[in-house]
Amino acid sequence: MLAKVNKEESLFALAVDESTDIKDSVKFIKAQLLIFLSLSPTFELCEDLLSMETLTTHTRGEDIFVAVKKACIQSGVDLKNLRGICTDGAPAMTSKQQGLVARMSDYLSKEHGNKQLTNLHCIIHQEALCSKSAVLDNILKDVNRVISFIRANALNHWQFLEILHTSESFAEDILYHTDVRWLSQGETSCSVLLLRKEIVEFYSMKNKDCPLLNNDFLTSLAFLVDLLTHVNYLNQNLQGKATTVCLMHRKIKDLCDKFHLLKSHLQQGNFYHFPQLMALIDSKEVKPDQIPTVHFSGILDGLLQEFANHFQDFEKISATIRLVASPHLVVTESALLHLQMELVELKNNEQLVKKFTEESDLLDTWKSAVEYPQLRELAKNILVLFGSTYLCEAAFSRMKYLKNKY
């Protein structure tokens, strides 16, 4: 890996994240900093762990910068070829003056003449922040109260499991909501909705009023589940290795377009793309005119605004991303002057345009475009970037599992 990155033509990017060590003691608190490296020497994307550093005192921007710089120097990578840093967006990483990115940008500019550093806030973290702001908080709190009541003690839990076993439900149990798990809130809300008959029976056995008997709550819960289904689908598509920034950016755009469509359908009273709401209507539990479409449309508006606010770092390079992902669709005059002649020639290359049209692997497509050197160089600068800190998060999860007391 390092042999490849040390080649003169090898551009690379970093993904950086830190987490407190689960083996910490009160006397000695430390954090682990993971640094992953991505490079594309010949449009063959490679991703690997560059270093794991231990921060024994503080996790300030200065401490993280020193650790990252030390790891890069010890590994012998040429920092003039560093094109991007992806972080979780924490102040220590992105503070305009004291954060890792600001310090690294200043250092690269002064010491290596490198002014091409792109800072990206992990697209998965941003998507999770957007979805949290859009969920119906009161509904989600009531969902968690239902789950907590069922699992409050061993007797309650056992009695609910008995109801599940005697019913026609295929569910084995109902799980807790865990706020730090990106997909958890959608899954737990869906399980409460699907097990509503069993939950109502359990509450009745305990002589308690069940919120699921309230039509307003039931309708809002169904809308929440339908909404989070789309969010969770996006989240799953953003995860994984070797996922390019171009693909991630397109997936975010897809979701925003879907939300515009859902809003339009709500305003028309069309619930085709809301299967849980449709199920309530079909089962006669809720009438169509009881669904607060104006309120739900407002939630979608708020979500779209959150996406617009959070993804500004990606919007700054969105024109370049589009040029790399779909050069045949870009207006020639909108491209930089030194790229325009090559862009004209590329658009007339039917064989290459076909590859972009058919959405062939971008790396392979650009690898074959040898007659367009300046466009290829631009593509290399974009395709090497990390769009998320997924590799760091996955590694931390693995570390916590290995260090578990069991």
Side-chain angles (χ1 to χ4, degrees):
M1 181 72 172
L2 290 177
K4 290 182 179 180
V5 78
N6 286 328
K7 288 183 179 180
E8 185 176 347
E9 73 275 13
S10 297
L11 306 180
F12 69 98
L14 299 175
V16 183
D17 200 0
E18 62 89 13
S19 179
T20 303
D21 194 322
I22 64 169
K23 289 296 185 180
D24 282 347
S25 65
V26 177
K27 295 181 180 179
F28 187 67
I29 299 177
K30 58 183 178 180
Q32 302 292 357
L33 181 74
L34 287 181
I35 308 166
F36 275 84
L37 178 143
S38 167
L39 74 147
S40 176
T42 56
F43 289 96
E44 296 175 0
L45 195 62
C46 303
E47 296 173 343
D48 205 350
L49 178 66
L50 178 69
S51 178
M52 183 180 76
E53 303 290 328
T54 299
L55 306 176
T56 56
T57 54
H58 300 91
T59 56
R60 301 167 302 185
E62 179 182 358
D63 305 294
I64 297 173
F65 166 69
V66 170
V68 172
K69 184 176 75 169
K70 172 188 169 187
C72 290
I73 292 174
Q74 288 182 342
S75 301
V77 297
D78 191 344
L79 286 169
K80 78 174 188 293
N81 291 325
L82 178 59
R83 290 296 179 264
I85 298 181
C86 184
T87 69
D88 62 357
M93 299 286 187
T94 59
S95 175
K96 291 184 178 180
Q97 294 183 342
Q98 304 298 323
L100 163 67
V101 175
R103 289 175 179 275
M104 184 61 80
S105 297
D106 185 58
Y107 171 74
L108 292 179
S109 177
K110 291 179 179 178
E111 301 296 329
H112 297 274
N114 181 358
K115 298 183 180 180
Q116 301 186 59
L117 189 68
T118 299
N119 167 36
L120 294 177
H121 178 183
C122 171
I123 202 167
I124 300 178
H125 278 85
Q126 294 195 76
E127 176 268 329
L129 290 172
C130 290
S131 63
K132 283 182 180 179
S133 65
V135 296
L136 307 176
D137 288 336
N138 291 333
I139 301 299
L140 194 55
K141 288 176 182 177
D142 284 340
V143 168
N144 293 332
R145 289 192 192 101
V146 169
I147 297 171
S148 297
F149 176 63
I150 292 172
R151 302 193 59 158
N153 54 59
L155 176 61
N156 278 13
H157 192 200
W158 176 80
Q159 290 173 333
F160 182 72
L161 291 178
E162 283 296 305
I163 292 174
L164 284 183
H165 293 158
T166 55
S167 71
E168 297 180 356
S169 171
F170 292 101
E172 295 181 358
D173 202 351
I174 191 165
L175 301 177
Y176 278 118
H177 164 67
T178 308
D179 192 50
V180 297
R181 297 294 177 228
W182 290 321
L183 307 184
S184 178
Q185 59 186 12
E187 293 174 347
T188 53
S189 301
C190 186
S191 67
V192 168
L193 181 65
L194 296 179
L195 295 174
R196 59 186 180 277
K197 292 181 180 178
E198 289 80 4
I199 293 173
V200 168
E201 181 181 344
F202 174 75
Y203 267 73
S204 176
M205 182 177 70
K206 294 290 186 178
N207 295 318
K208 293 278 189 180
D209 294 329
C210 183
L212 288 164
L213 292 174
N214 183 305
N215 274 1
D216 290 339
F217 173 79
L218 191 59
T219 304
S220 295
L221 177 58
F223 172 75
L224 179 66
V225 172
D226 286 331
L227 181 64
L228 291 179
T229 297
H230 294 289
V231 174
N232 289 355
Y233 177 76
L234 167 68
N235 196 295
Q236 291 170 333
N237 277 273
L238 294 178
Q239 297 179 38
K241 296 181 178 180
T243 305
T244 65
V245 169
C246 296
L247 178 61
M248 289 185 167
H249 186 260
R250 195 192 79 193
K251 292 296 182 182
I252 292 293
K253 291 291 185 183
D254 288 347
L255 184 67
C256 290
D257 289 345
K258 287 179 181 178
F259 284 158
H260 281 294
L261 178 65
L262 292 176
K263 177 186 172 184
S264 174
H265 280 201
L266 279 174
Q267 293 170 341
Q268 299 167 23
N270 182 348
F271 304 108
Y272 179 83
H273 292 296
F274 297 90
Q276 299 302 334
L277 284 176
M278 282 290 292
L280 292 182
I281 294 172
D282 292 342
S283 64
K284 310 297 183 182
E285 294 174 82
V286 173
K287 296 179 180 178
D289 58 4
Q290 292 179 312
I291 297 175
T293 54
V294 175
H295 176 55
F296 291 164
S297 295
I299 291 174
L300 286 171
D301 272 334
L303 183 59
L304 286 166
Q305 186 59 51
E306 286 294 328
F307 271 78
N309 293 339
H310 274 89
F311 290 95
Q312 293 180 8
D313 50 346
F314 281 88
E315 282 305 309
K316 290 178 182 177
I317 60 171
S318 61
T320 307
I321 289 175
R322 189 165 185 265
L323 180 58
V324 172
S326 307
H328 59 294
L329 299 178
V330 173
V331 177
T332 304
E333 289 78 4
S334 67
L336 295 174
L337 290 173
H338 71 283
L339 299 174
Q340 291 180 0
M341 290 302 180
E342 285 191 2
L343 187 57
V344 170
E345 294 174 10
L346 184 149
K347 288 182 176 182
N348 289 319
N349 186 333
E350 294 182 3
Q351 186 176 2
L352 192 59
V353 168
K354 184 179 179 181
K355 288 185 178 182
F356 284 111
T357 304
E358 295 175 349
E359 296 186 355
S360 301
D361 186 281
L362 269 181
L363 291 164
D364 287 339
T365 301
W366 280 110
K367 186 177 182 179
S368 65
V370 291
E371 60 267 55
Y372 313 108
Q374 296 189 82
L375 284 172
R376 285 179 90 240
E377 187 64 22
L378 178 71
K380 192 182 294 185
N381 278 269
I382 290 296
L383 294 175
V384 75
L385 298 176
F386 278 107
S388 78
T389 57
Y390 169 80
L391 290 178
C392 298
E393 294 288 352
F396 280 132
S397 295
R398 180 63 177 164
M399 287 168 59
K400 289 177 181 178
Y401 175 78
L402 291 173
K403 291 186 175 184
N404 188 286
K405 64 182 180 179
Y406 299 108

